[in-house]
mmCIF file of all heavy atoms in Angstrom:
data_model
loop_
_atom_site.group_PDB
_atom_site.id
_atom_site.type_symbol
_atom_site.label_atom_id
_atom_site.label_comp_id
_atom_site.label_asym_id
_atom_site.label_seq_id
_atom_site.Cartn_x
_atom_site.Cartn_y
_atom_site.Cartn_z
ATOM 1 N N GLU O 51 26.312 69.539 -14.501
ATOM 2 C CA GLU O 51 27.727 69.580 -14.836
ATOM 3 C C GLU O 51 28.564 68.887 -13.750
ATOM 4 O O GLU O 51 28.161 68.846 -12.582
ATOM 5 C CB GLU O 51 28.168 71.044 -14.955
ATOM 6 C CG GLU O 51 29.355 71.239 -15.868
ATOM 7 C CD GLU O 51 29.810 72.704 -15.922
ATOM 8 O OE1 GLU O 51 29.250 73.559 -15.220
ATOM 9 O OE2 GLU O 51 30.728 72.970 -16.690
ATOM 10 N N ALA O 54 35.524 69.778 -11.407
ATOM 11 C CA ALA O 54 36.575 69.453 -10.441
ATOM 12 C C ALA O 54 37.275 70.738 -10.032
ATOM 13 O O ALA O 54 37.552 71.603 -10.863
ATOM 14 C CB ALA O 54 37.572 68.483 -11.050
ATOM 15 N N THR O 65 36.857 76.392 1.320
ATOM 16 C CA THR O 65 36.034 77.530 1.722
ATOM 17 C C THR O 65 34.963 77.782 0.667
ATOM 18 O O THR O 65 33.796 77.985 0.992
ATOM 19 C CB THR O 65 36.916 78.789 1.881
ATOM 20 O OG1 THR O 65 38.010 78.456 2.727
ATOM 21 C CG2 THR O 65 36.138 79.936 2.472
ATOM 22 N N ALA O 72 25.586 77.457 1.906
ATOM 23 C CA ALA O 72 25.231 78.418 2.953
ATOM 24 C C ALA O 72 25.805 78.070 4.319
ATOM 25 O O ALA O 72 25.346 78.533 5.344
ATOM 26 C CB ALA O 72 23.713 78.588 3.051
ATOM 27 N N MET O 86 18.181 80.684 -5.577
ATOM 28 C CA MET O 86 18.051 81.080 -4.179
ATOM 29 C C MET O 86 19.361 81.725 -3.736
ATOM 30 O O MET O 86 20.431 81.151 -3.913
ATOM 31 C CB MET O 86 17.776 79.860 -3.298
ATOM 32 C CG MET O 86 16.453 79.175 -3.599
ATOM 33 S SD MET O 86 16.207 77.729 -2.557
ATOM 34 C CE MET O 86 17.261 76.537 -3.356
ATOM 35 N N THR O 88 22.098 82.689 -1.053
ATOM 36 C CA THR O 88 22.425 82.018 0.207
ATOM 37 C C THR O 88 22.343 82.958 1.411
ATOM 38 O O THR O 88 22.253 82.498 2.545
ATOM 39 C CB THR O 88 23.843 81.398 0.168
ATOM 40 O OG1 THR O 88 24.797 82.434 -0.090
ATOM 41 C CG2 THR O 88 23.958 80.324 -0.881
ATOM 42 N N ILE O 97 18.364 75.371 0.781
ATOM 43 C CA ILE O 97 19.631 75.328 0.046
ATOM 44 C C ILE O 97 20.471 74.141 0.498
ATOM 45 O O ILE O 97 21.045 73.409 -0.307
ATOM 46 C CB ILE O 97 20.415 76.652 0.228
ATOM 47 C CG1 ILE O 97 19.687 77.780 -0.511
ATOM 48 C CG2 ILE O 97 21.851 76.519 -0.291
ATOM 49 C CD1 ILE O 97 20.231 79.161 -0.233
ATOM 50 N N LEU O 103 26.831 67.909 1.054
ATOM 51 C CA LEU O 103 28.278 68.016 1.208
ATOM 52 C C LEU O 103 28.833 66.691 1.726
ATOM 53 O O LEU O 103 28.364 66.174 2.732
ATOM 54 C CB LEU O 103 28.557 69.152 2.209
ATOM 55 C CG LEU O 103 29.942 69.757 2.309
ATOM 56 C CD1 LEU O 103 30.432 70.265 0.970
ATOM 57 C CD2 LEU O 103 29.911 70.909 3.316
ATOM 58 N N LEU O 105 32.386 64.931 3.026
ATOM 59 C CA LEU O 105 33.707 65.375 3.472
ATOM 60 C C LEU O 105 34.733 64.249 3.412
ATOM 61 O O LEU O 105 34.432 63.121 3.045
ATOM 62 C CB LEU O 105 33.605 65.934 4.892
ATOM 63 C CG LEU O 105 32.596 67.081 5.032
ATOM 64 C CD1 LEU O 105 32.361 67.407 6.488
ATOM 65 C CD2 LEU O 105 33.068 68.301 4.272
ATOM 66 N N GLN O 111 31.060 61.346 9.471
ATOM 67 C CA GLN O 111 29.811 61.668 8.800
ATOM 68 C C GLN O 111 28.691 60.686 9.074
ATOM 69 O O GLN O 111 27.562 60.905 8.656
ATOM 70 C CB GLN O 111 30.039 61.743 7.283
ATOM 71 C CG GLN O 111 31.038 62.807 6.919
ATOM 72 C CD GLN O 111 31.392 62.763 5.456
ATOM 73 O OE1 GLN O 111 30.683 63.296 4.634
ATOM 74 N NE2 GLN O 111 32.476 62.097 5.138
ATOM 75 N N VAL O 139 15.377 55.605 1.053
ATOM 76 C CA VAL O 139 16.557 54.955 1.619
ATOM 77 C C VAL O 139 16.981 53.782 0.727
ATOM 78 O O VAL O 139 18.155 53.630 0.379
ATOM 79 C CB VAL O 139 16.285 54.488 3.062
ATOM 80 C CG1 VAL O 139 17.383 53.557 3.552
ATOM 81 C CG2 VAL O 139 16.147 55.690 3.984
ATOM 82 N N ARG O 152 22.369 46.995 4.163
ATOM 83 C CA ARG O 152 21.529 47.979 4.866
ATOM 84 C C ARG O 152 21.337 47.698 6.350
ATOM 85 O O ARG O 152 21.133 48.614 7.134
ATOM 86 C CB ARG O 152 20.176 48.113 4.166
ATOM 87 C CG ARG O 152 19.319 46.864 4.170
ATOM 88 C CD ARG O 152 18.193 47.002 3.145
ATOM 89 N NE ARG O 152 17.332 45.817 3.159
ATOM 90 C CZ ARG O 152 17.636 44.675 2.556
ATOM 91 N NH1 ARG O 152 18.787 44.559 1.905
ATOM 92 N NH2 ARG O 152 16.818 43.650 2.611
ATOM 93 N N ARG O 166 30.460 55.630 0.640
ATOM 94 C CA ARG O 166 29.278 55.416 -0.189
ATOM 95 C C ARG O 166 28.003 55.537 0.640
ATOM 96 O O ARG O 166 26.989 56.033 0.161
ATOM 97 C CB ARG O 166 29.367 54.060 -0.895
ATOM 98 C CG ARG O 166 30.402 54.103 -2.034
ATOM 99 C CD ARG O 166 30.334 52.870 -2.878
ATOM 100 N NE ARG O 166 31.005 51.752 -2.235
ATOM 101 C CZ ARG O 166 30.689 50.476 -2.460
ATOM 102 N NH1 ARG O 166 29.719 50.167 -3.281
ATOM 103 N NH2 ARG O 166 31.353 49.522 -1.853
ATOM 104 N N LEU O 173 21.876 61.521 -0.843
ATOM 105 C CA LEU O 173 20.941 61.266 -1.945
ATOM 106 C C LEU O 173 19.508 61.142 -1.434
ATOM 107 O O LEU O 173 18.560 61.535 -2.108
ATOM 108 C CB LEU O 173 21.325 59.978 -2.678
ATOM 109 C CG LEU O 173 22.623 60.035 -3.475
ATOM 110 C CD1 LEU O 173 22.830 58.721 -4.205
ATOM 111 C CD2 LEU O 173 22.598 61.190 -4.466
ATOM 112 N N ILE O 201 30.417 58.600 -7.978
ATOM 113 C CA ILE O 201 30.285 59.995 -8.401
ATOM 114 C C ILE O 201 29.853 60.071 -9.874
ATOM 115 O O ILE O 201 28.973 60.840 -10.241
ATOM 116 C CB ILE O 201 31.613 60.760 -8.176
ATOM 117 C CG1 ILE O 201 31.838 60.939 -6.678
ATOM 118 C CG2 ILE O 201 31.616 62.109 -8.896
ATOM 119 C CD1 ILE O 201 33.137 61.615 -6.298
ATOM 120 N N GLY O 233 42.870 82.256 -3.455
ATOM 121 C CA GLY O 233 41.515 82.765 -3.323
ATOM 122 C C GLY O 233 40.872 83.214 -4.606
ATOM 123 O O GLY O 233 39.862 83.907 -4.594
ATOM 124 N N THR O 262 50.454 62.649 -18.621
ATOM 125 C CA THR O 262 50.634 63.963 -19.225
ATOM 126 C C THR O 262 52.081 64.430 -19.066
ATOM 127 O O THR O 262 52.678 64.985 -19.987
ATOM 128 C CB THR O 262 49.693 64.985 -18.553
ATOM 129 O OG1 THR O 262 48.411 64.391 -18.391
ATOM 130 C CG2 THR O 262 49.590 66.240 -19.380
ATOM 131 N N ASP O 276 50.274 66.247 -30.966
ATOM 132 C CA ASP O 276 49.216 67.210 -31.261
ATOM 133 C C ASP O 276 48.592 67.757 -29.990
ATOM 134 O O ASP O 276 48.214 68.912 -29.906
ATOM 135 C CB ASP O 276 48.127 66.557 -32.127
ATOM 136 C CG ASP O 276 48.694 66.181 -33.489
ATOM 137 O OD1 ASP O 276 49.705 66.807 -33.874
ATOM 138 O OD2 ASP O 276 48.160 65.252 -34.126
ATOM 139 N N ASN O 281 45.047 60.041 -19.939
ATOM 140 C CA ASN O 281 45.032 58.765 -19.224
ATOM 141 C C ASN O 281 46.020 57.779 -19.840
ATOM 142 O O ASN O 281 46.686 58.075 -20.843
ATOM 143 C CB ASN O 281 43.614 58.180 -19.220
ATOM 144 C CG ASN O 281 43.044 58.077 -20.622
ATOM 145 O OD1 ASN O 281 43.742 57.677 -21.559
ATOM 146 N ND2 ASN O 281 41.782 58.455 -20.781
ATOM 147 N N CYS O 285 48.023 57.898 -23.553
ATOM 148 C CA CYS O 285 49.477 58.062 -23.510
ATOM 149 C C CYS O 285 50.155 56.952 -24.314
ATOM 150 O O CYS O 285 51.062 57.202 -25.104
ATOM 151 C CB CYS O 285 49.945 58.059 -22.068
ATOM 152 S SG CYS O 285 51.704 58.310 -21.891
#
Side-chain angles (χ1 to χ4, degrees):
Chain O
E51 206 182 3
T65 309
M86 296 179 282
T88 59
I97 290 171
L103 196 55
L105 303 170
Q111 299 173 83
V139 168
R152 64 195 181 280
R166 287 190 281 153
L173 291 183
I201 290 177
T262 317
D276 295 337
N281 54 42
C285 182

